[in-house]
Amino acid sequence: MFNRNRCLRRVAAIASISSLVAGCGVLSSDSPDDEGPIVVGTTSSPSTLDPAASWDGSWELFRNIYQTLLSYPVGASTPQPDAAKSCEFSDASNQVYRCELREGLKFSDGGALDAKAVKHSIDRIREINVSGGPAGLLGSLERVQAPSEREVVFYLNKPDATFPFVLATPAMSIVDPDAYPADALRKDGGVVGSGPYTLESYEEGKEAELVRNDQYKGYAERKNSAVTIRYFQDSGTMVKALREKEIDLTYRGLAASDVVDLQGKTSKEEEIQLVDGTGTDINYLVFNPRDPWAGKKAVRQAIAQVVDRGAIAHKVYKDTVDPLYSMVPKGLTGHTTGFFDDYGDPSVTKARQILTDAGITEPVPLTLWYTTDRYGSETALEFKELERQLEASKLFDITLKSRPWKTYVAGYQKGEYPVFGRGWFPDFPDADNFIAPFVGKQNALGTPYEATEITDVLLPRSRRESDRGNVVKDFEEAQQILVDDARLLPLWQGRAYVAASRDISGAERALDPSTIMMVWELSRKTSW
């Protein structure tokens, strides 16, 4: 995903709850009729309320107020029916995908949700084609048909077993044709959806009030009546609000220092629980092949040999992230440790030999770029640590430069940066989404990467296979190509942290495989 905050976190399986309080009783019951709305804090505010314009953190809100054909019930790692009663490929080549809708679906305003509404919702994404919007997810879609009131058929231009994952993204939210133009974005700031909640009120950048949608028909079992989402500018202010009981839960944007502080508190000091699990957001370096130095394979390999991921994770992120040795994070089918397997521990001696063998005997001058306002306050410290490591080897002469996100994006898309940092937050939990976006003449990085073995052979072959467990070999081969080229250098993989007051239940179940919070899982504990 192109534009999501650094602290987005996916929970594949919540490994543990690090409780900062000692339990003092037994939970007797939970009730949706609680003492008022559950108040959730996040630093990830929506950029739009129209799904056709969103390929970013707006998905956090969309998951709860709109509905998609497929989604992720608690514990699911593959898409399951939501607005749909059933969906499946109806041909052997994975090019025709049919869905049957549930009976009696309605939008929040009472209007009927039928197959024509689904077709309208998907078609308008491609028709409007917002720059940086979700149309890029529909590259394999040829056309949509609605042959009957409850049947939708998607015809693909090539086999694509990942298409169900695409349909499960909040970008594919179903909207009312009467309220959302076919060829333009909705501009009045209103929302008509069919999700578990309706948007009662919304103040951009400040607050969203969600109330139970009585028209909803889907898999979600709502454990509360209402949720208020408050948007914060930074982690410190958000944690202060949690401690002062102004909010009940935080689910996006916890800084490493705040996580460490919360982990260190005892039950006598705070009544807060911290949920800690594995995430799949990743952070990496990109090398521009058109740069005279970064374009040299030996330079890239020498950097890969010097960089100490463990030091970055420990010194900068206080062990709130994990070192990463592949573009596909651990927890996903096909993950490898290719960079560790090939390079082992950091070694200046081996890096010097790589450069010497390539005829490079003087320190290599390189400028490393990072963004100041996208991935968190630790980014500047991370790049200072990278600078320290590379210059300490005496093999590189490093200059650091930075820009705000909007101008930063324009710069790397124009090929201005020799080496630059990026983060990636998956559109869907499949290894394909950690390889395909980065290769090809046109890709998410703005730097052409013509890896024809990946784009023409491995990815097309893997997309013919619906059972994703059968594509491990293809993804392993693709990752080895990435390791050999060293055009992309993975640095770390995020972890999932949710802090909540002790009377909130469900935090450990509330994040789907794409780290989007399903707020209907949250409830108040009625007694201890």
Side-chain angles (χ1 to χ4, degrees), residues 483-526:
V483 171
D484 293 341
D485 292 343
R487 285 275 306 277
L488 307 168
L489 186 65
L491 297 174
W492 53 260
Q493 173 176 352
R495 298 175 68 183
Y497 292 99
V498 176
S501 63
R502 72 176 288 182
D503 67 339
I504 294 297
S505 177
E508 73 279 6
R509 301 187 303 271
L511 297 184
D512 78 3
S514 297
T515 66
I516 295 174
M517 180 164 280
M518 304 175 290
V519 299
W520 58 83
E521 289 293 333
L522 303 174
S523 62
R524 295 190 192 278
K525 299 172 182 176
T526 56

Side-chain angles (χ1 to χ4, degrees), residues 11-31:
V11 176
I14 295 295
S16 65
I17 300 180
S18 302
S19 179
L20 302 181
V21 299
C24 57
V26 178
L27 175 64
S28 66
S29 66
D30 294 297
S31 170

